[in-house]
Amino acid sequence: MHNIGIIVNHSKDIEFELTKSIINWIEKNNANPMLTKQTSAVLGHNINGYNVEEVYEKSDFVIVLGGDGTILQVAREIANFETPILGINLGHVGFLAEVDVKDIYKSLDIVLKGEAIIEERMMLEASIIKDNVKKEFYALNDIIITRNTISRILTMDAYINEDLVMTVNGDGLIVATPTGSTAYSLSAGGPIVYPNLSVITLTPICPHSFSNRSIVLSDNEVISIRLLKNSGDAYLTIDGQECYKIEENEDITVKKACFKTKLIKLPGRGFYDVLREKLKER
């Protein structure tokens, strides 16, 4: 572990005191911190700044300072480089961020000694084809089809491998990975899924029918979603961060992505420990 990337949410570590401290620790442990050009310029540090893609490609692992939202963004950007992420929680919930601030250096020492665990998390690929042009989106948590705040309810058909499985009349539909099962899907009544399982969940949002329920699918299934006529304005949302307006003549296809997010996990802290802590079920 020689090259260690650092991605910092500038709104979370406002004075960059934590970032500077981590840089100093890395250097004292004979490793090379890799900063983005933006972070390097703000710090005025005597370390060369790199393009974000260079940080992802050349780092042995990347430290992400922020909340789950920051980690989700980095996960989408870094996945095709297969570089592991160590999340340090500067946010609130922190399902994805493995390390609390008070445990940073103990945790980094474990990682540098090669005693940490790397978990591979499934991602989703959503695609939309219009006028023979294909748009692709990738998500670690979820792909959501939803209405805008003042639109009428949405009506859509959901197919699994070309077989109609449900017609949804409601606020939308969530397609989630096991990682995303504890995010919006959970709030919408979806199941909690162990993160290493190879499944996809399909959960309607506020359906206008008691017959619409969550479905758990194999990760080999291909999901197709088609908006029906006279639906309101619909949007495709990626991990709650990217948004694309869906037109009536556009069909959405969702399936397992060809690459995965790699998350660094510490020994002795399992999924159920995190679940109890974050859901306050002690």
Side-chain angles (χ1 to χ4, degrees):
M1 296 289 186
H2 179 68
N3 291 327
I4 302 174
I6 300 175
I7 302 294
V8 54
N9 184 326
H10 292 196
S11 67
K12 299 289 185 181
D13 188 19
I14 298 174
E15 300 296 329
F16 293 96
E17 293 302 320
L18 184 56
T19 304
K20 293 174 185 176
S21 179
I22 291 173
I23 291 171
N24 291 334
W25 188 93
I26 291 172
E27 291 176 330
K28 287 179 180 178
N29 283 270
N30 300 314
N32 176 42
M34 297 188 67
L35 306 177
T36 65
K37 289 180 178 180
Q38 181 185 14
T39 301
S40 180
V42 172
L43 288 177
H45 203 272
N46 59 349
I47 297 176
N48 291 331
Y50 299 86
N51 294 326
V52 174
E53 291 79 9
E54 290 181 287
V55 174
Y56 294 156
E57 182 178 8
K58 296 179 180 179
S59 297
D60 295 304
F61 72 95
V62 170
I63 298 169
V64 178
L65 294 163
D68 280 357
T70 310
I71 294 174
L72 287 170
Q73 178 182 341
V74 172
R76 295 195 302 275
E77 296 172 349
I78 204 173
N80 62 322
F81 295 101
E82 299 186 344
T83 305
I85 296 169
L86 179 66
I88 295 177
N89 188 23
L90 303 184
H92 299 290
V93 180
F95 264 106
L96 297 175
E98 178 71 5
V99 179
D100 291 328
V101 172
K102 61 182 176 59
D103 299 321
I104 289 176
Y105 303 110
K106 177 176 67 175
S107 302
L108 285 173
D109 188 56
I110 291 172
V111 176
L112 289 187
K113 288 179 179 177
E115 298 173 356
I117 302 162
I118 296 179
E119 284 190 359
E120 293 189 343
R121 299 287 184 90
M122 184 182 76
M123 300 185 73
L124 294 174
E125 174 190 317
S127 59
I128 298 176
I129 299 177
K130 181 180 179 182
D131 300 328
N132 294 321
V133 177
K134 184 177 182 180
K135 298 180 176 66
E136 294 179 337
F137 308 87
Y138 296 93
L140 173 58
N141 264 0
D142 44 42
I143 305 288
I144 302 170
I145 296 90
T146 187
R147 66 189 182 97
N148 70 19
T149 55
I150 59 174
S151 174
R152 65 174 70 95
I153 66 171
L154 296 180
T155 302
M156 67 187 81
D157 284 339
Y159 297 82
I160 299 174
N161 298 333
E162 300 183 356
D163 292 327
L164 179 64
V165 65
M166 68 171 73
T167 297
V168 177
N169 290 282
D171 289 351
L173 185 65
I174 303 169
V175 186
T177 65
T179 300
S181 72
T182 53
Y184 191 7
S185 178
L186 181 61
S187 300
I192 295 175
V193 181
Y194 192 78
N196 291 337
L197 292 179
S198 299
V199 297
I200 299 171
T201 60
L202 203 60
T203 302
I205 305 170
C206 298
H208 287 223
S209 170
F210 289 118
S211 64
N212 286 147
R213 291 289 184 264
S214 290
I215 300 176
V216 181
L217 316 170
S218 162
D219 67 349
N220 293 320
E221 313 285 10
V222 177
I223 302 157
S224 300
I225 300 158
R226 179 172 301 162
L227 286 177
L228 301 183
K229 290 184 178 180
N230 300 320
S231 287
D233 290 338
Y235 294 85
L236 184 73
T237 306
I238 313 299
D239 283 339
Q241 297 179 333
E242 298 179 26
C243 191
Y244 174 85
K245 190 175 187 303
I246 305 168
E247 305 296 339
E248 280 190 0
N249 60 341
E250 292 179 316
D251 292 342
I252 303 106
T253 300
V254 183
K255 62 182 181 179
K256 178 177 67 175
C258 60
F259 41 73
K260 298 181 179 181
T261 294
K262 294 185 176 182
L263 297 178
I264 296 176
K265 297 292 178 180
L266 302 176
R269 188 171 185 262
F271 172 70
Y272 301 116
D273 298 315
V274 176
L275 196 62
R276 284 197 313 273
E277 176 188 340
K278 302 307 179 183
L279 298 183
K280 306 300 182 185
E281 294 289 338
R282 302 191 179 193

